[in-house]
Amino acid sequence: MSHRTVADVMTRNVATASPEATLKTVAWSLDYNGVSALPVVDTRRHPIGIVSEADLLRRQAGLPDTEGRDPLHSTAPMDRAAMDARTAGDLMSTPVLTARPEWGIVETARFLHERGVKRLPVIDETGTLVGIVSRTDLLRPMLRHDDAIRDEIVDDVLGRTLRMTPGGVTVTVSEGVVSLSGQVQERSTIPVVERLCRSVDGVVSVDQALGYTVDDLSTAADPDRAAH
């Protein structure tokens, strides 16, 4: 079985900003590239921060309104510093969190959720930027067609990994929900089958109604027990 990694879903052609880039340049680049944030990189393309639409809006929110009213008196110290920013390096968020190309999709999604961020620059072993991965990218495996999911379960999970007899377990997939029916030889195999099916990219959930021939989990197992 193989699983998608960050390298499989990340955006490789990454729009970036230098620390010296003006905020006008940052705003133009965000709009031109259709992105909501830019990694800020040094001369070696090592990420040193992130500058986003939210950062620019935070700065704009602190500017005087059309009638000249100044909101400075109600602005937090961090926002006051943002209002004085002139370059990407002044406004960027640091430290920058990063991902590696070999990280798994689940591992990366968990990291994003725990850290409360929307995207991660992806770096290689030298710390050089090689891509960027977002929440949307991590959802791509859920777009897999039901037939592709079913084929992987039948061929890889049941066939190559568990070496089960073809036709013993019937697999259907609808909107990512896997349904398993039929019979396995040993009762202990059932949770293994279910767990491996859940790990297949694109699977939303697994419903199983599998019977077994041998109850190898019971001390009073009867080898001739019929499927329940």
Side-chain angles (χ1 to χ4, degrees), residues 44-92:
R44 297 175 297 171
R45 280 188 66 81
H46 291 180
I48 59 174
I50 292 280
V51 63
S52 67
E53 289 176 336
D55 295 323
L56 291 176
L57 289 172
R58 180 163 51 100
R59 183 181 185 279
Q60 288 297 105
L63 296 177
D65 62 21
T66 55
E67 297 181 3
R69 289 185 295 240
D70 190 347
L72 271 174
H73 65 280
S74 61
T75 304
M78 184 180 296
D79 291 329
R80 293 180 186 228
M83 281 182 287
D84 292 332
R86 296 187 177 185
T87 66
D90 295 334
L91 192 61
M92 67 184 182

Side-chain angles (χ1 to χ4, degrees), residues 149-205:
I149 296 173
R150 181 187 178 280
D151 289 345
E152 181 172 344
I153 291 174
V154 172
D155 297 337
D156 292 346
V157 175
L158 302 181
R160 296 187 184 93
T161 302
L162 297 177
R163 299 186 181 280
M164 296 177 64
T165 303
V169 174
T170 299
V171 181
T172 60
V173 184
S174 177
E175 297 295 318
V177 177
V178 177
S179 298
L180 305 172
S181 60
Q183 183 172 313
V184 298
Q185 180 65 22
E186 299 173 331
R187 183 181 178 185
S188 61
T189 304
I190 295 176
V192 176
V193 172
E194 186 173 357
R195 183 173 66 253
L196 290 177
C197 287
R198 289 184 186 278
S199 71
V200 171
D201 290 338
V203 170
V204 175
S205 63

